Amino acid sequence: MAKELTLNNGRKIPQIGLGTSRIPKDIIEDTVCLAVDRGYRHIDTAFAYYNEVEIGRALKRKFEDGTVTRDNVFVTSKLSSHYHAEEDVYPACSESLRRLQLDYVDLFLIHSPFSLKNPGYFTTKGGVETGYLERDLKATWRAMEELVISGKAKSIGLSNFNSQQIEYISDGARIKPVMNQVEINIRFPQHQLQRFCEERDIMLTAYAPMGSPGHPNLLQKNTEGKVPLLKEPVIDKLAEKYGKNSGQILLKSLVDRNIVVIPMSTNPERLASNLQVYDFTISDEDLDIISSMEDGIRQFSRPKREDHPDYPFRIPF
Ligand code: NAP
């Protein structure tokens, strides 16, 4: 079982959750059931993963067979970038809940600070991007706050927001964001963002903790010529030394920084082993070796988004 951390509103979140983007449709329901059987109590999904229906079915099975009750599973979903209009937020969350067959989500995040006209990627006409909008996310946040007031979401937060965008949302907010979900891994450890968020009592969740190997849509220039994180010889050596697998070493280095991690796996052994990171300690010397892997380059960066006025990654953190 994962440890629980406490959010700034006093609610608990299991530190290790199951990431679910890109889990194939035909196996996701069973994968989520297996994850719950193996001890996962935190599932991360989003409108954009098109899997809320299957996750809802899996959770229903696990509630019905008595493995878990609603109040001991933590479910996160996210507001898609084409639902940022204030009046779209409540219906979007309600639809996520309908698909998930739940009365509330534990955490609802604004998936990204860029507002789009349509789901998914930008659309291009004659070489000009036409799919994005500029919106005032303070209005979106006001509608997010209403989700907490109405009980649809126990907690609300952000994803892919930079420090300026977090500051903008937090200024005058009635309800503070509890979380910012961003890429964090040993090559891109986000120390500055973590310090910034810690000062404001906002927790970080690490997506792509394994570097998202095999993701088809990543910005090539950021990954080409690089050994995938899980195959880094240094990490291999540490895995051997501690009797763990490489994934566990990558997760451990984040878990020890009080970061929530949401690794995705469809493999039963790796699914289980990703929860088992509390029974060993990485020495300070080895943590220094891990720190030296930082190169400041995002693994998980998508093409075509840099032109958006709210593209968050233009500033260092
Ligand atoms: P990831 O978790 O870094 O990598 C997943 C890959 O690593 C899978 O292909 C998996 O393969 C492999 N893997 C997992 N554990 C392993 C281990 N112990 N040893 C070896 N290989 C292992 O990447 P991700 O799925 O992109 O990110 C995780 C989650 O974060 C997503 O699923 C999603 O929920 C969330 N996310 C959020 C955003 C956002 O914008 N908020 C963006 C990206 C992702 P096997 O299945 O074969 O084990």
Side-chain angles (χ1 to χ4, degrees), residues 17-24 27 31 40 43-46 49 51 76 78 109-112 158-160 180-185 205-215 218 229-230 245-251 261-275 300 302 305 313:
L18 178 71
T20 65
S21 77
R22 295 187 297 123
I23 297 184
I27 58 165
T31 304
Y40 282 81
I43 311 291
D44 181 82
T45 181
Y49 305 162
N51 61 18
T76 302
K78 310 186 189 93
L109 305 175
I110 301 183
H111 201 149
S112 104
L158 309 170
S159 176
N160 295 304
N180 189 26
Q181 185 182 121
V182 289
E183 172 179 344
I184 311 181
N185 49 56
T205 294
Y207 72 66
M210 313 283 181
S212 202
H215 195 297
L218 302 190
L229 267 190
L230 283 158
N245 64 42
S246 300
Q248 289 171 305
I249 301 292
L250 297 180
L251 294 178
V261 293
I262 46 170
M264 184 278 264
S265 182
T266 57
N267 172 283
E269 282 81 42
R270 290 192 282 277
L271 197 72
S273 72
N274 287 347
L275 279 181
F300 199 99
R302 292 181 171 211
R305 293 197 167 175
F313 308 142

Side-chain angles (χ1 to χ4, degrees), residues 118 121-132 303-305 307:
N118 303 302
Y121 296 98
F122 297 147
T123 44
T124 313
K125 208 170 182 184
V128 179
E129 297 293 357
T130 59
Y132 65 69
K304 287 196 186 170
R305 293 197 167 175
D307 293 338

